[in-house]
Amino acid sequence: MRSRPSDGGKLREEYADRVTFLARYSPVPGHRNGELAVRTAEAGTRQGKFVEMYTKLFATQKQ
């Protein structure tokens, strides 16, 4: 099952006690900001703010 930040965390709230959530990210070939987005997501992870960064990346992906 795939989930995006726009789900409002409903899946996490409902299944957090039974499911381990995993996020994978890799650059989309040919996407002009793909490599930067991956590095940004990893930086957010290292700072303990992955969810915030992930949400921001999805919210601004058309920019």
Side-chain angles (χ1 to χ4, degrees), residues 8-34:
K10 292 177 187 174
L11 291 175
R12 285 183 186 269
E13 290 173 13
E14 186 172 344
Y15 297 105
D17 60 333
R18 295 176 280 171
V19 176
T20 298
F21 289 87
L22 173 70
R24 294 185 180 180
Y25 42 85
S26 59
V28 176
H31 189 285
R32 66 184 176 134
N33 293 322

Side-chain angles (χ1 to χ4, degrees), residues 16-56:
D17 60 333
R18 295 176 280 171
V19 176
T20 298
F21 289 87
L22 173 70
R24 294 185 180 180
Y25 42 85
S26 59
V28 176
H31 189 285
R32 66 184 176 134
N33 293 322
E35 183 67 34
L36 179 59
V38 168
R39 283 191 254 144
T40 302
E42 181 61 25
T45 298
R46 291 179 182 199
Q47 295 173 31
K49 297 188 181 257
F50 174 75
V51 173
E52 293 89 336
M53 184 53 63
Y54 188 73
T55 302
K56 184 73 169 180

